[in-house]
Amino acid sequence: MSHDHDHHHHHDNELDPFAARVRALETILTQKGLIDPAAVDAIVDTYETKVGPRNGAKVVAKAWSDAAYADWLKRDANAAIASLGFVGRQGEHMQAVFNTPDTHNMVVCTLCSCYPWPVLGLPPVWYKAPPYRSRAVIDPRGVLAEFGVTLPAEMKVRVWDSTAELRYLVVPMRPAGSDGLGEEQLAELVTRDSMIGTGLARVPAKGAA
Ligand code: FE
């Protein structure tokens, strides 16, 4: 696996001045009893798992529904993603990697926590944690098993190491039984983890189509 982190790498797990001010404010407001850290955690969790990844889910659902869009996403992810209005910091240089029956893709940032914010929101804690960052490369199948994902032995697992210059979005395989679904219903099947590669798309409930 190539490792392309270079000296321009942005270590965003160190507090920048803005993050340090936020941390200081949270501490003061908590000490004065003005905010409840649990409530703040709940808001962060919402961005991590609900609001943020819905953008990526729309990208994936459109790629599943529209072959021309999928092709565009493959060739020029920046433009294809921006066409849906998802632009911003930490998402300037995107590459979409498509799962196939032969190859499963999984994303990590071995040096810190590079993550495609405009399509996935805030990175989950485990993504930033050293065990995932080291083990995703050494033992991707072991990590997948911990996420409840078991792939056929003959399926290749390809691990992509994010950098400040290049962020990856995994396009999971469209699940069986989703033929009759529209884009909005399809997006419901696209989990955050399926776009990192530590999960698969949900199988639709029977009768949904
Ligand atoms: Fe990083």
Side-chain angles (χ1 to χ4, degrees), residues 23 59 62 66 71 98 105 110 168 175 177 180-181 188 196 207 209:
R23 177 73 57 85
V59 172
K62 189 163 180 65
D66 178 343
D71 186 55
F98 287 66
N105 295 286
T110 53
Y168 300 97
L181 302 182
E188 295 295 315
I196 302 175

Side-chain angles (χ1 to χ4, degrees), residues 5 9-12 109-115 162-164:
H5 280 88
H9 197 87
H10 174 66
H11 287 259
D12 50 12
C109 176
T110 53
L111 272 200
C112 49
S113 55
C114 296
Y115 194 69
S162 305
T163 67

Side-chain angles (χ1 to χ4, degrees), residues 84-103:
L84 300 184
F86 308 136
V87 290
R89 267 190 83 200
Q90 311 280 323
E92 295 91 343
H93 303 286
M94 292 288 309
Q95 184 177 336
V97 289
F98 287 66
N99 287 348
T100 69
D102 302 319
T103 306

Side-chain angles (χ1 to χ4, degrees), residues 66-79:
D66 178 343
Y69 183 80
D71 186 55
W72 189 19
L73 185 63
K74 217 173 269 177
R75 286 183 289 107
D76 187 352
N78 288 343

Side-chain angles (χ1 to χ4, degrees), residues 15 17 23 64 79 114 130 151 154 156 204:
L15 286 183
R23 177 73 57 85
W64 284 347
C114 296
L151 302 172
E154 63 275 16
K156 278 181 293 199

Side-chain angles (χ1 to χ4, degrees), residues 1-45:
M1 200 199 65
S2 70
H3 191 102
D4 294 317
H5 280 88
D6 64 19
H7 55 278
H8 296 301
H9 197 87
H10 174 66
H11 287 259
D12 50 12
N13 55 352
E14 286 164 23
L15 286 183
D16 60 29
F18 180 75
R21 291 180 77 94
V22 171
R23 177 73 57 85
L25 274 171
E26 184 180 348
T27 304
I28 291 165
L29 292 172
T30 302
Q31 284 169 354
K32 288 184 176 293
L34 295 173
I35 58 166
D36 173 1
V40 176
D41 288 346
I43 293 166
V44 170
D45 178 69

